[in-house]
Amino acid sequence: MIKFIEDQINDSIELKRMLLSDDLLGCVKMAAELIILAYKGGGKVLFCGNGGSAADAQHLAAELVGRFKKERKALPAMALHANTSALTAIANDYDYSDVFVRQIEAFGRPGDVLVGLSTSGKSANVLKALDYAKKKGLKTIGFTGRKADTMSSLCDVLLSVPSEDTPRIQEVHMLWGHIICGLVEDGLFDERK
C-alpha cells in the first residue's frame, strides 16, 4: 500500500512539474484575464461539467460567489448543473446534450464567460454548450486533458492537462481553478492599485 501511495504522489508531482511550461502558464493567465474583463464589464461566469467536473465547476463557482482568499463583494458565477429541476426537465423534454445550452440561452449574455470542464474533451453537452456560447458572444474557456481536438476549436482559451489519467487531470483542474480565482481576486480587489 505504501508503494502505491508513493507512486500516486510521485505521479502527481511529475505532472505538476510539467505545468511550468510557458505555454500552460500563459493559458492560465489568459483565462484569468478573460474572467477579469467579463467582471469589469458587468458580466458573469457560467460553469458546466459532468460528474467530477460538475463538482469542480460548482466548487469554482462557489469560490467566486463566496470568496477565495479575500474579503470582497460577491462575484456573479453559477454552475449550470446545480439546478436539478432544470437539468432533469431539459434532459427529459429535450435531450441530455441540451441541458447546458438551454440554460446559456436563458442566462448567458455577450461578454459573459462560459467555463466548460471535460477531462476527456468529448462530453457532448459541454461541447455543445461551448459552441452555442461562442456563437452567442460569450468568451469560452475549456478545462480538459491531453486529447481535446474538438474542444480546442470551441474555446478562446484551452487549459489542457498533459495527461490522460482522469484523477490527475481533475487535480490539475482544481489547481488551475484556484490559481485563476486568486488572480481574479487580485485583479479586481487589489488594495495596492
Side-chain angles (χ1 to χ4, degrees):
M1 288 179 133
I2 294 297
K3 173 76 168 113
F4 177 80
I5 295 167
E6 288 175 345
D7 288 347
Q8 294 300 299
I9 292 170
N10 282 322
D11 287 349
S12 183
I13 290 168
E14 286 307 309
L15 179 57
K16 301 296 189 316
R17 284 194 178 110
M18 294 169 66
L19 303 181
L20 295 171
S21 78
D22 289 342
D23 288 345
L24 290 174
L25 296 174
C27 287
V28 173
K29 178 180 179 277
M30 287 189 303
E33 289 169 342
L34 280 182
I35 293 171
I36 290 167
L37 285 174
Y39 282 135
K40 285 184 174 179
K44 63 187 155 304
V45 181
L46 306 174
F47 291 88
C48 64
N50 298 290
S53 293
D56 292 346
Q58 193 166 338
H59 180 141
L60 295 174
E63 300 286 24
L64 295 171
V65 173
R67 70 160 180 250
F68 181 59
K69 290 191 172 186
K70 292 185 179 201
E71 287 298 329
R72 41 94 176 154
K73 71 175 189 162
L75 296 169
M78 63 189 292
L80 297 178
H81 68 280
N83 181 340
T84 54
S85 295
L87 190 76
T88 56
I90 295 164
N92 184 63
D93 296 347
Y94 297 93
D95 188 80
Y96 190 70
S97 68
D98 294 320
V99 295
F100 301 135
V101 167
R102 292 291 291 181
Q103 294 183 77
I104 296 165
E105 182 180 351
F107 302 115
R109 301 290 173 262
D112 290 346
V113 174
L114 174 69
V115 179
L117 293 90
S118 171
T119 57
S120 69
K122 297 176 184 174
S123 300
N125 57 359
V126 173
L127 294 173
K128 197 169 181 179
L130 289 165
D131 184 50
Y132 180 80
K134 198 163 182 67
K135 289 175 181 169
K136 191 171 176 176
L138 283 74
K139 295 297 183 182
T140 55
I141 299 171
F143 281 58
T144 191
R146 178 176 287 145
K147 295 184 176 180
D149 300 332
T150 306
M151 208 170 171
S152 65
S153 65
L154 303 173
C155 297
D156 294 299
V157 178
L158 183 67
L159 297 168
S160 181
V161 180
S163 175
E164 295 172 28
D165 184 16
T166 298
R168 295 289 91 78
I169 294 167
Q170 290 171 332
E171 288 172 16
V172 173
H173 285 179
M174 285 312 303
L175 173 63
W176 279 340
H178 282 154
I179 291 168
I180 289 168
C181 288
L183 291 170
V184 168
E185 281 190 340
D186 285 349
L188 295 173
F189 304 102
D190 190 349
E191 303 84 25
R192 295 169 290 178
K193 289 185 178 179

